């Protein structure tokens, strides 16, 4: 897949038409996690799509800060330059929080938001662990395969180390390798989900996998009574069953 860049943000894009689907990946991954869905896009999406690497992830430049509003501003710029008049956001995990933040910010007009596998409940211990992780120096490896394996674990993916899902996840540093991720992205905060959803003026749809260990459909239904449980998949539902995610989107649009 050919990568383009704009204002430090790397992105993939394709399709034709006015309707724009923006796919926003989650923490520690890259836009490559959407590859299984994008293989089906020509027959499942009636328009264009764009899938960026978030700042500090993959092929995108690091940022001075990593608040959801910072990520959202980057994506708003891509949407504005696209010229699309119809915009649908699909965000996975942290990407769902970013999608809600963007849709509620008023920076660009958004027609619909799909939040997949957003972690809706956080413990203090979880947040403290991620803060500690954000303060570590990146681990260096002698071989790229070792760095790719660390990237695979950070993404929570069950795939071969040579999988295209892991592309742009590593970089060379001198004679060694490390993950491309800026470690400081791990300093996340507890998202105010109810407030974020209340601020969005367009329809919001939530879903998670039946076997997702990070969020349950019951937690999501406290926010969206119509939240969807996608059978037989885990946290990375768009990798496990891309067709089911397309069905979910198509059924709601």
């Amino acid at each position: 897949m050919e990568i383009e860049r704009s204002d430090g943000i790397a992105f993939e894009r394709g399709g034709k038409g006015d309707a724009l689907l923006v796919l926003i990946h989650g923490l520690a991954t890259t836009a490559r996690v959407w590859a299984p869905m994008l293989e089906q896009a020509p027959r499942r999406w009636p328009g264009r799509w764009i899938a960026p690497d978030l700042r500090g992830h993959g092929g995108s430049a690091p940022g001075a800060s990593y608040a959801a509003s910072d990520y959202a501003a980057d994506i708003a710029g891509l949407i504005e330059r696209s010229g699309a008049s119809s915009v649908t956001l699909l965000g996975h995990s942290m990407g769902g929080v970013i999608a809600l933040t963007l849709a509620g910010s008023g920076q660009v007009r958004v027609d619909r938001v799909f939040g997949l596998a957003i972690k809706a409940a956080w413990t203090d211990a979880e947040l403290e662990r991620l803060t500690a992780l954000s303060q570590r120096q990146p681990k260096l490896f002698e071989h790229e395969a070792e760095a790719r394996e660390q990237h695979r674990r950070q993404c929570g993916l069950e795939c071969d180390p040579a999988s295209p899902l892991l592309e742009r996840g590593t970089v060379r540093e001198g004679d060694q390798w490390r993950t491309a991720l800026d470690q400081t992205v791990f300093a996340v905060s507890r998202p105010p989900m109810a407030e974020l959803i209340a601020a969005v003026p367009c329809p919001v749809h939530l879903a998670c996998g039946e076997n997702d260990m990070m969020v349950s459909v019951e937690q999501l239904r406290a926010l969206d009574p119509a939240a969807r449980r996608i059978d037989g998949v885990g946290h990375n539902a768009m990798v496990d069953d891309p067709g089911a995610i397309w069905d979910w989107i198509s059924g709601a649009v």
Side-chain angles (χ1 to χ4, degrees):
M1 175 62 65
E2 185 176 348
I3 303 301
E4 300 181 49
R5 287 178 173 79
S6 178
D7 291 338
I9 301 300
F11 59 94
E12 304 173 14
R13 65 175 173 175
K16 296 179 180 180
D18 183 63
L20 179 66
L21 174 65
V22 184
L23 302 107
I24 309 172
H25 67 78
L27 181 66
T29 67
T30 74
R32 284 280 75 206
V33 297
W34 299 109
M37 280 191 66
L38 295 178
E39 290 177 2
Q40 301 180 15
R43 64 179 186 278
R44 300 299 304 262
W45 180 253
R48 289 178 285 158
W49 57 265
I50 188 168
D53 286 351
L54 296 173
R55 58 168 60 193
H57 295 70
S60 291
S65 64
Y66 294 103
S69 57
D70 296 318
Y71 293 120
D74 292 337
I75 295 168
L78 294 177
I79 293 172
E80 288 173 345
R81 287 185 286 277
S82 76
S85 61
S86 173
V87 177
T88 297
L89 305 180
L90 169 59
H92 173 251
S93 197
M94 184 184 78
V97 175
I98 296 167
L100 292 170
T101 302
L102 174 55
S105 71
Q107 295 178 78
V108 293
R109 181 178 180 273
V110 174
D111 296 276
R112 201 170 294 269
V113 177
F114 291 89
L116 175 63
I118 301 176
K119 184 172 170 60
W122 290 82
T123 67
D124 290 342
E126 288 171 333
L127 293 170
E128 289 168 4
R129 181 180 64 81
L130 286 174
T131 297
L133 192 59
S134 75
Q135 297 168 353
R136 295 180 187 174
Q137 291 297 312
K139 187 173 182 179
L140 297 174
F141 299 92
E142 294 300 317
H143 305 287
E144 184 183 13
E146 296 171 299
R148 285 177 70 94
E149 173 59 19
Q150 185 186 41
H151 175 56
R152 184 194 67 77
R153 293 196 304 268
Q154 289 175 335
C155 296
L157 293 168
E158 297 293 335
C159 64
D160 186 273
S163 170
L165 297 173
L166 303 179
E167 290 175 3
R168 298 197 303 278
T170 59
V171 293
R172 195 177 186 93
E173 188 166 299
D175 294 331
Q176 296 179 299
W177 292 85
R178 63 173 176 83
T179 62
L181 190 70
D182 181 349
Q183 285 288 124
T184 58
V185 304
F186 285 114
V188 300
S189 57
R190 184 180 285 108
M193 288 293 294
E195 290 87 346
L196 288 172
I197 292 172
V200 176
C202 66
V204 172
H205 308 278
L206 303 180
C208 68
E210 176 185 16
N211 303 319
D212 194 328
M213 301 302 292
M214 296 183 68
V215 61
S216 69
V217 72
E218 289 77 19
Q219 290 171 331
L220 294 182
R221 284 176 179 164
L223 300 163
D224 169 19
R228 172 88 173 269
R229 184 187 71 183
I230 301 172
D231 295 337
V233 300
H235 187 64
N236 291 308
M238 67 289 188
V239 174
D240 297 340
D241 191 348
I245 308 305
W246 281 122
D247 289 344
W248 171 47
I249 294 173
S250 300
V253 171

